[in-house]
Amino acid sequence: VSFANLLEKTALSGKSHIQFVIGGSLGLHEDVSKRADYKLSFSDMTFPHQLMRVILCEQIYRGYRIIIGEQYHK
């Protein structure tokens, strides 16, 4: 399932809020991970927290552009 499809399915299922939790370099505590409805990994590499926030925002933007049928460069 592509990220855009995940965003669209979530919206169509009636969920009006999506929350993202970005783990640190050692990951997330098991209790946090267990509560997740969905787990997403962008890479096996470790990115600085600030950079990962920008990457996530860009992918959310890209996903919604795809959902509404607008062009998005690769």
Side-chain angles (χ1 to χ4, degrees):
V1 174
S2 75
F3 189 61
N5 287 343
L6 175 65
L7 291 173
E8 186 172 33
K9 285 182 181 183
T10 301
L12 293 175
S13 71
K15 293 182 182 176
S16 59
H17 291 83
I18 302 173
Q19 296 178 355
F20 294 92
V21 176
I22 300 172
S25 60
L26 300 177
L28 295 171
H29 190 277
E30 185 178 330
D31 292 343
V32 176
S33 191
K34 283 180 183 178
R35 293 187 62 194
D37 293 325
Y38 187 83
K39 297 175 189 170
L40 177 68
S41 174
F42 284 97
S43 174
D44 289 334
M45 296 187 296
T46 300
F47 297 101
H49 201 79
Q50 296 84 349
L51 179 58
M52 195 59 235
R53 292 188 334 197
V54 173
I55 293 170
L56 176 60
C57 287
E58 175 67 16
Q59 291 305 303
I60 293 168
Y61 173 77
R62 179 179 178 270
Y64 280 108
R65 291 284 300 239
I66 291 168
I67 290 168
I68 63 174
E70 291 187 9
Q71 288 265 336
Y72 185 87
H73 70 286
K74 288 187 175 186

